[in-house]
Amino acid sequence: MKTIATVVGARPQFIKVAPVSKALADTGAIKEVLIHTGQHFDAGMSDVFFEELGLPKPDHHLEIHGGGHGAMTGAMLQKLEPVLEELRPDRVLVYGDTNSTLAGALVAAKLHIPVAHVEAGLRSFNRLMPEELNRIVADQLSDLLFTSTDVATKNLEREGIAKSQIFQVGDVMYDAALQFSDAAASRRGLLDSYSVEPGRYVLATVHRAENTDDSGRLRNIVTSLEAVAKEIPVLLPIHPRTTGRMKAAGLSFERVRTMPPVGYLDMAALESQAAVIATDSGGVQKEAFFYKVPCVTLRDETEWVELVDLGWNRLASPSSPDLARTILQALGRQGTHAQPYGDGKSARAIAQILAR
């Protein structure tokens, strides 16, 4: 039986792991060892996802969180190395583009353990983003690269990755959306708590460093969401990073209805019943599309360019004075009905390839 060590640390990765871990177990040929770096560590950012998604308790918890990119990644490297040296798995599996992704791929490569990367080939072509650097390095260190879309596959081919190493399997987040859609649809508690009706509110999320660490951008986002909230209720599950940066900048919300971070099922319920989603999250852009909700991305570029091409997503610079207007103009604006993210069986395809 093969042993695969899965390295995760952030809430978007927990969502992606859920269908893949189940598919790995279903092969009967793979033992998975789950390593949680601790990058997202509190109950609202970590524990609730494991509970709701049916994930087993991590086999190893490194309890690394906080600090800058260098300090966090360095601590992960230091703690991951002895764990992987002792385990000596047949392969290390990493997801996405976080510091946990980078650390897992780098330690494995230095120990000569093969690496597989789920959600490979994404490119924003903005190297000021730490996520972009993490993706590029993880892809270069991997020998199995699982892509979600045609665009991601072509990106890797342009970068000289051998076609034999690239497997276009679709998007595991689509698997998760299908798997948990019924459970999410039955949730109405948050809407009732915040006195909003389905289809009659804007859901917003803001967490990226490029937005929260730039006081000018952050101020414009806050001001714009407040302006939108004059016309239609705005709900914002607020990220700890955003709370801290707003406080430091002397910013606060008056009309926007904020709430603590929510679990996967509550977030899916909020997304699926929104009129518009305004976000700087990569995963939320896709989930908006899965639920056929128009999305405004609070960034200058996106990795998920197919959503812009299909008309479901529109880019809005966080520095733009027209940001509020762009969000309001998205109300009722649907795009072309197509499915660039596979058939909802991505996890099964990944597991079968890894089992071989």
Side-chain angles (χ1 to χ4, degrees):
M1 180 173 285
K2 293 183 178 180
T3 299
I4 289 181
T6 295
V7 179
V8 293
R11 54 188 285 172
Q13 294 169 325
F14 308 149
I15 298 167
K16 296 163 192 170
V17 164
V20 177
S21 289
K22 181 180 184 303
L24 292 177
D26 288 346
T27 66
I30 293 174
K31 175 187 176 184
E32 183 181 29
V33 178
L34 189 60
I35 303 171
H36 187 340
T37 64
Q39 184 171 341
H40 284 170
F41 61 95
D42 64 16
M45 299 287 282
S46 176
D47 294 352
V48 67
F49 283 79
F50 279 78
E51 294 164 8
E52 291 183 350
L53 298 173
L55 287 169
K57 183 179 179 181
D59 299 282
H60 300 270
H61 200 306
L62 307 185
E63 299 183 347
I64 300 164
H65 49 266
H69 289 287
M72 179 186 287
T73 307
M76 288 177 184
L77 295 174
Q78 187 176 25
K79 285 197 171 183
L80 263 174
E81 186 173 54
V83 173
L84 291 180
E85 276 188 315
E86 182 179 351
L87 283 175
R88 279 290 160 183
D90 295 287
R91 182 172 295 278
V92 167
L93 181 62
V94 296
Y95 292 78
D97 53 21
T98 70
N99 290 336
S100 301
T101 312
L102 174 63
L106 189 55
V107 171
K110 285 181 174 288
L111 293 176
H112 309 293
I113 300 170
V115 179
H117 185 198
V118 175
E119 210 174 68
L122 288 189
R123 298 292 181 266
S124 67
F125 302 101
N126 176 4
R127 293 205 177 193
L128 296 177
M129 291 175 55
E131 296 89 349
E132 183 80 350
L133 302 178
N134 292 344
R135 296 176 191 128
I136 292 170
V137 175
D139 284 342
Q140 290 297 321
L141 295 176
S142 300
D143 70 303
L144 291 181
L145 299 101
F146 297 115
T147 61
S148 302
T149 64
D150 292 337
V151 173
T153 297
K154 290 173 183 175
N155 287 338
L156 293 176
E157 291 174 349
R158 277 197 300 269
E159 292 173 11
I161 303 293
K163 290 185 178 181
S164 60
Q165 295 177 268
I166 304 169
F167 296 87
Q168 187 170 322
V169 294
D171 198 297
V172 293
M173 289 189 72
Y174 184 41
D175 292 27
L178 293 175
Q179 182 177 343
F180 296 102
S181 60
D182 289 343
S186 65
R187 297 203 168 206
R188 281 288 306 273
L190 277 177
L191 299 190
D192 294 338
S193 297
Y194 289 88
S195 302
V196 295
E197 298 178 19
R200 302 185 71 174
Y201 63 91
V202 171
L203 175 67
T205 76
V206 183
H207 78 280
R208 283 193 182 271
E210 65 195 81
N211 288 334
T212 59
D213 293 356
D214 184 316
S215 60
R217 282 184 167 225
L218 184 58
R219 184 175 299 277
N220 191 54
I221 290 171
V222 170
T223 301
S224 299
L225 291 177
E226 284 286 286
V228 171
K230 291 181 181 179
E231 308 295 329
I232 182 173
V234 176
L235 299 184
L236 174 65
I238 194 159
H239 194 282
R241 170 197 288 276
T242 310
T243 300
R245 297 300 190 269
M246 286 182 62
K247 184 176 181 180
L251 298 170
S252 61
F253 288 114
E254 294 181 8
R255 295 184 180 86
V256 172
R257 307 174 195 188
T258 62
M259 64 183 74
V262 298
Y264 177 72
L265 295 179
D266 277 335
M267 188 62 181
L270 290 173
E271 290 168 342
S272 64
Q273 299 179 72
V276 168
I277 294 174
T279 184
D280 60 6
S281 162
V284 173
Q285 292 174 52
K286 286 187 295 178
E287 288 170 337
F289 171 73
F290 298 153
Y291 299 120
K292 296 298 180 280
V293 175
C295 183
V296 176
T297 294
L298 309 176
R299 289 171 53 192
D300 295 305
E301 71 284 307
T302 180
E303 303 79 12
W304 305 107
V305 292
E306 56 278 349
L307 297 183
V308 177
D309 294 340
L310 290 171
W312 285 98
N313 194 2
R314 46 198 49 78
L315 293 173
S317 173
S319 303
S320 171
D322 295 323
L323 183 56
R325 184 188 307 170
T326 302
I327 295 170
L328 290 170
Q329 286 176 341
L331 290 166
R333 298 277 298 276
Q334 295 200 340
T336 303
H337 290 271
Q339 183 47 268
Y341 296 115
D343 58 3
K345 300 177 182 177
S346 306
R348 185 187 305 174
I350 290 169
Q352 290 173 346
I353 292 164
L354 291 174
R356 293 200 300 268

